[in-house]
Each structure stands twice: as structure tokens, then as C-alpha cells.
Amino acid sequence: MLKKLERVLGLKTNPSIFFSAAFLILAFVVGSILFTAEVDSVFRAVSNAVKTNLGWLYILGVTSFLLFLLWIACSRYGNVRLGGKDSRPEYTNVTWFGMLFAAGIGSILMFWGVAEPINHFANPPFSGAHAQVDALAGSMGSPQDFAKRLGEMPVSPGATAPLSENAANEAIGFALYHFGLHTWSIFSLPALAFAYFAYKRGLPFRVSSIFHPLLGNRINGPLGRVIDTVAVIGTLFGVAVSVGLGTLQINSGLNELFGVEVSGVVQILIIAVVTTFATISVATGLDKGIKWLSNINIGMAVALLLFILFTGSTVFLLRGVIESTGTYLSMLVPLSFWNDALPAGDWGWQGTWTVFYWAWTITWAPFVGIFVARISKGRTIREFVLGVLGSPVAFSVVWFSIFGMSSINIEWNEPGSLIGPVVQEGDTAAALFTFLEHFPAPEFMMGFSVLIVIIFFTTSADSASLVVDMLTSGNTTNPPVRQRIFWAVLGGTVAATLIAATGQEALQALEQVITVIGLPFFIIAFAMMYCLVKALRKDIPEEELLSPRARSLLERERKRREAEPEPD
């Protein structure tokens, strides 16, 4: 029956995966609208249980992914080319980086570049006074009074005091921990696995293909279809969280610029407009729409970064970039294994920040992973890992150093000006625009920033629709445009429906769902590492694992022996 429906609709996909995923996503949306309180209660309870009892697994898992990627890049498998021996990259390094950045966490950097450092500056993770800060934020008083009371707050010996110099360093360190090597490890691991099994074994771009060393041809059976259906659902909902954040930020920017009301109706209109742009982009294909938008977007983001650098405290920020790099490197190893274990029995700060980030990120790792694999054919494993980990992370370090240090410097000079609206009032979405009020031509720069967010939003939406179509069909060559349009529209519909149903509460409920859905993705990721190594050991001849210089010497020796006369 599903095959017949596929033919009637003119699709070219795996009907079991396509229709199962679409049905379950729509059923969840309808259920969330009709039974919002019940769904929220169930997922909140399960989410809290996961964070309390299995949060350590999330921390250990992402650190394990990073160590595995560094090992495989430095090992002899690093010379293996993702494709045939003569394959070469389809995109230049600059274009490749722009597409990586735009489809990865570009929109997230715009949202959290100011908001996260200023939150940690006012409420340091190592302060042990989170409840006191939350109580102060909920009390009445001016932003200046709030800043004064934070600065006078007593803390335990050895703990970090809010608004202190140590709090500033730790704020940057934690922001880079959340959006640096660990986040890109979550993206890189599935991307490498997708690229290997697609280009070396010729398997379709589906999550089930990664399990070929374990399941064999059973990846085409019921078990493989279940894996792919779960991956589609998790990916779409993971992207929906980003869509929600982007919508809130665009709405806040329009409110600052034109006094547009911050409301569900406006946010739905924003989603409708951006989804229309994404649909047009995805219909034009990867090499036109997404590539063109990505190149424009990275240029605009760099322009905004340079504007903050040269119109702000330039020398202070240049020194801050270098110092922040050292802070990140010094905190990287301790944070990679920090589990907020003390005081005993108090999960504390990490459950609501790091664990949520990792769970959220890994749910849309298949989306970013397949997209990165799709644009990375022809690169060696070493080039792939170092490029995917190196370039975006380096940009993130510079971004958070400049935006984070600038926001902290503004708060030091004008107490309450940023932590008032962002921390005291909890208006995280408006953090960037409040920040830009302290720079020249604030209205123009706010409008410029809104445009950047819209384009980031569009590239994420059209990339997601392209990747979800790959997950359901396994095909990358000439799939019907209507399929990609369907997923682009469905993604926008999911976000719009949730906002229309319960507004901000729907996004909070979705965050709970993502934390729960992230758990099976972590288990899948551990299996990815095992399957990838098993496949490499079986598929790659010993000679191909040699370095290019060693292969050249071996080839010369082989030719020399062939040229020698046969012994009598």
C-alpha cells in the first residue's frame, strides 16, 4: 500500500521510513497541542531522571568521541581517502568551511555569543550560589541594584564570586567548552561514519548503513528501518529547537528595531517567511541555493565580528582573544571529565546546561553529519577530522572571545546594563541586540544582525530538509524536489504549531523531549566508533594505510625490481 502511495505522490524514497516518520512527527505535534500539560509532565520527569542518573554518561560520551577522532586522525587510518584513491575534494577549503559553519552552529553562535558568557559571568558554574542568584533575579529592583547585590553576595571559600575576574575567565572557558571541540566532535563522528560507508562501501546515506559491519544486509530490513525512522524524528525535533531559538531572536530584534510585538502570531509569521526562503533555496539544490547562501552568510558574520573588534576596545579584545584561547586550553581537560559530583547528591548547574547541550546537539548530529559527509568527498580521514574540528572551532574561539569579552567589559563599565535584561529579566533572546546598543549605528547593526540570523536560519532549515530527505531515501542524486519541499515545510510547521499551541512553554517542553531522545543517540554513537574501526580493518589493504611518501618509496622499489632481469 505504501509503495502505491509513493507512486501516486510521485516520490522516490523508502516509503516505510518516509511515511512512518511523517506520521509519528505529526502525531506528536497533535498530541502536544491536545495534551500539553501531560506530555510536558511525562518528559520533564524522564528528563530529570536521565540528567540525574545518566548525566555522567553524556559527559564521558562526548569526551570519548573527541579522543577517538583525534586518535583515528593521527593513526595510520588517517591516510584513507573518503572515496576512490583518485578522488579529490569537490569544494575549495573556503567554500567547505562556509558550508560547515552555516549548517552547523552559525545560528547558535549568534544566539549565545553574548547570552552565555554574560549568564556565566553573573552566575558562575563554580560559585555554588545558583539558588541565591535565581532568587535575586526574581526579586524587584533596578538592574544597577541587582548588579550591586550580586557583587556583594558571599560565597564559600574557594568558590567563584559573581562578576569577579575569575568569573569572567570561567564564563569564556565554559562557553568555549560548550561550542568548541566537544560540540564539533558530536558532529564529526557521524559525519565521518556516513562518509566512509557511503564512499568506501557504496551504501546509502542512512543511519542504518553505519551498522553494516554488525547487521550486514539486515540494514535493509525492519531493524534498519526502525533505526532510520528514529533518526529522522530525532533530527527534525533537534532542528526544531534551533528554529525556536532563531525565531525568538528574530522577533526580539524586530521588537528593538520597529517595536514589533513579541508574540506567538509574529513568531509564526517569521517561521512562515523563513520557511518560504528555505523552500526556494532547497529547490535550487546544494550547489546553488545552500552554497550561495552559506558564502554570503559567513562573509556577513565575519563583517559583524570585525565591526565589534574595531569599534570596541580593540587592544583589549585582541589581548582577550589570546588570553581566552589559553583559558579554554587550560580548562579543556578538567571540564572534559567534570561531572559536578560535589556536593554529593546535588546535580546542580551542569544538568541544566552541559547535559542539555550534549543531548540537544546529538539529536541533530545526523543532520549535520550527513550534510558534512555530502560535501567532504575526496578528503582523507586526517584532512576531514582536522578540518571539521579545526576551522569551525578556531572561529568559535575568536567569536566568543570578542563577543564575550566585549559584553563583560561593558558590564564592568556600566553595571547592570547587560545582566539586568539578560539575567535578571531572563530575556536571553534579546541579549545580542541589547549588546549592540553600546556600539555605533546601533539600529543599522541590529538590522544587519537580524538579517544574518534569518540567513543562518534559512541555511539550517534548507540543509535539514535536504538531509532528512537523504535519511528517508538514502539517495543523493536527483531526488524529486517535492520531497525536499515537504520536509522543509514540515519542519517549519512543527515549530509554528508548537509556538501556536503553547508559546514559550512548548519550546521548554521540547527541550525536555530532546534530553530524553538524546540518550539512544549516544548509544548509537558508541556503536559508530566500533563499526567504523571494524570496517577499516576489514576493507583497507595494508599498502593503502601507508603514508604518501612510504607508498611512493614502495612503488619505486616495485618498479626497480620489475626492471631487473630474471635470475638464471
Side-chain angles (χ1 to χ4, degrees):
M1 185 179 72
L2 294 179
K3 280 285 187 183
K4 182 178 180 180
L5 183 59
E6 178 193 16
R7 289 194 299 270
V8 170
L9 296 176
L11 304 178
K12 186 181 178 183
T13 186
N14 186 310
S16 299
I17 302 171
F18 185 95
F19 292 111
S20 297
F23 172 78
L24 291 173
I25 290 168
L26 291 173
F28 181 87
V29 171
V30 173
S32 297
I33 294 172
L34 297 178
F35 307 103
T36 303
E38 290 80 1
V39 170
D40 179 70
S41 177
V42 170
F43 277 98
R44 186 179 299 276
V46 177
S47 174
N48 289 337
V50 168
K51 288 188 291 187
T52 301
N53 299 306
L54 295 174
W56 61 270
L57 179 63
Y58 286 65
I59 305 300
L60 177 63
V62 180
T63 298
S64 299
F65 304 159
L66 174 59
L67 294 176
F68 173 81
L69 289 166
L70 294 176
W71 167 77
I72 202 169
C74 297
S75 73
R76 56 182 184 167
Y77 297 121
N79 298 316
V80 175
R81 193 168 292 278
L82 300 172
K85 292 183 179 180
D86 298 326
S87 295
R88 290 296 179 269
E90 298 177 356
Y91 302 100
T92 66
N93 289 336
V94 174
T95 300
W96 185 52
F97 169 55
M99 296 170 80
L100 283 175
F101 181 74
I105 58 172
S107 58
I108 307 305
L109 294 187
M110 291 293 292
F111 190 93
W112 291 110
V114 172
E116 174 147 357
I118 208 67
N119 262 289
H120 300 336
F121 182 51
N123 193 359
F126 295 145
S127 72
H130 312 302
Q132 299 177 54
V133 174
D134 292 341
L136 276 180
S139 63
M140 300 297 292
S142 67
Q144 292 76 20
D145 181 58
F146 175 63
K148 180 179 179 181
R149 295 169 69 185
L150 272 183
E152 296 172 349
M153 179 181 295
V155 295
S156 303
T160 303
L163 308 184
S164 64
E165 184 177 336
N166 285 340
N169 287 327
E170 289 176 8
I172 302 298
F174 269 96
L176 293 175
Y177 169 55
H178 286 152
F179 298 102
L181 288 170
H182 282 72
T183 286
W184 281 95
S185 295
I186 295 175
F187 295 148
S188 300
L189 178 60
L192 178 60
F194 285 131
Y196 180 84
F197 287 102
Y199 300 135
K200 298 297 285 188
R201 288 198 173 184
L203 295 173
F205 275 96
R206 292 203 292 260
V207 175
S208 59
S209 296
I210 296 171
F211 290 84
H212 192 256
L214 288 177
L215 301 178
N217 290 331
R218 285 180 293 169
I219 63 172
N220 299 314
L223 183 56
R225 289 194 289 271
V226 169
I227 293 172
D228 292 325
T229 300
V230 171
V232 171
I233 294 171
T235 300
L236 207 61
F237 279 113
V239 173
V241 176
S242 299
V243 169
L245 292 175
T247 301
L248 293 175
Q249 190 173 32
I250 293 170
N251 197 175
S252 293
L254 296 177
N255 176 260
E256 291 282 344
L257 284 169
F258 309 111
V260 175
E261 179 185 8
V262 177
S263 67
V265 174
V266 173
Q267 290 157 11
I268 291 171
L269 291 174
I270 292 171
I271 291 175
V273 171
V274 175
T275 301
T276 301
F277 290 151
T279 301
I280 295 171
S281 176
V282 85
T284 62
L286 180 66
D287 292 324
K288 295 180 181 178
I290 299 176
K291 176 182 175 181
W292 182 71
L293 284 175
S294 298
N295 287 335
I296 291 177
N297 215 17
I298 193 66
M300 294 175 68
V302 170
L304 177 62
L305 184 74
L306 294 176
F307 172 81
I308 300 299
L309 173 64
F310 290 115
T311 61
S313 302
T314 305
V315 175
F316 168 76
L317 294 178
L318 291 174
R319 294 165 60 190
V321 170
I322 298 173
E323 188 166 318
S324 297
T325 303
T327 299
Y328 174 46
L329 294 176
S330 67
M331 295 178 67
L332 181 59
V333 173
L335 289 182
S336 296
F337 299 93
W338 180 57
N339 265 282
D340 205 5
L342 298 175
D346 178 17
W347 182 245
W349 178 91
Q350 199 171 40
T352 56
W353 282 90
T354 307
V355 173
F356 165 68
Y357 273 149
W358 294 166
W360 171 25
T361 304
I362 205 166
T363 55
W364 54 305
F367 145 52
V368 179
I370 286 186
F371 184 78
V372 171
R374 172 64 181 81
I375 63 176
S376 301
K377 183 179 181 180
R379 299 182 185 274
T380 65
I381 288 179
R382 183 173 295 114
E383 291 171 347
F384 177 91
V385 171
L386 297 181
V388 176
L389 288 183
S391 300
V393 171
F395 191 90
S396 296
V397 169
V398 175
W399 185 277
F400 274 101
S401 299
I402 290 178
F403 279 83
M405 294 295 283
S406 292
S407 61
I408 289 171
N409 189 46
I410 290 170
E411 183 60 35
W412 266 332
N413 293 322
E414 302 176 40
S417 59
L418 287 180
I419 66 170
V422 177
V423 181
Q424 185 181 17
E425 299 175 13
D427 192 1
T428 305
L432 176 64
F433 306 109
T434 305
F435 168 78
L436 290 173
E437 291 176 358
H438 299 269
F439 289 86
E443 291 82 8
F444 174 80
M445 295 311 300
M446 287 181 193
F448 187 72
S449 299
V450 168
L451 185 58
I452 295 175
V453 175
I454 290 174
I455 299 178
F456 271 134
F457 191 177
T458 303
T459 54
S460 294
D462 61 17
S463 301
S465 62
L466 180 66
V467 166
V468 170
D469 184 58
M470 291 182 191
L471 285 171
T472 56
S473 67
N475 297 322
T476 61
T477 56
N478 301 321
V481 174
R482 62 174 62 89
Q483 287 178 196
R484 290 176 285 163
I485 292 176
F486 170 78
W487 290 114
V489 173
L490 182 60
T493 302
V494 169
T497 303
L498 289 169
I499 288 177
T502 52
Q504 187 73 15
E505 292 182 6
L507 292 176
Q508 293 173 355
L510 187 56
E511 290 176 2
Q512 304 295 331
V513 175
I514 290 301
T515 303
V516 177
I517 292 177
L519 184 59
F521 276 83
F522 268 93
I523 298 171
I524 290 174
F526 279 108
M528 283 182 187
M529 293 188 286
Y530 173 79
C531 291
L532 186 57
V533 172
K534 186 175 181 178
L536 282 166
R537 287 176 175 172
K538 182 178 180 180
D539 298 347
I540 309 302
E542 194 69 26
E543 183 177 327
E544 193 172 335
L545 297 176
L546 298 174
S547 67
R549 183 172 182 273
R551 284 201 299 270
S552 176
L553 291 173
L554 186 63
E555 183 65 25
R556 277 191 287 176
E557 177 64 16
R558 185 182 293 115
K559 291 180 179 179
R560 185 188 68 79
R561 291 186 179 184
E562 290 174 351
E564 289 181 352
E566 289 288 333
D568 189 357

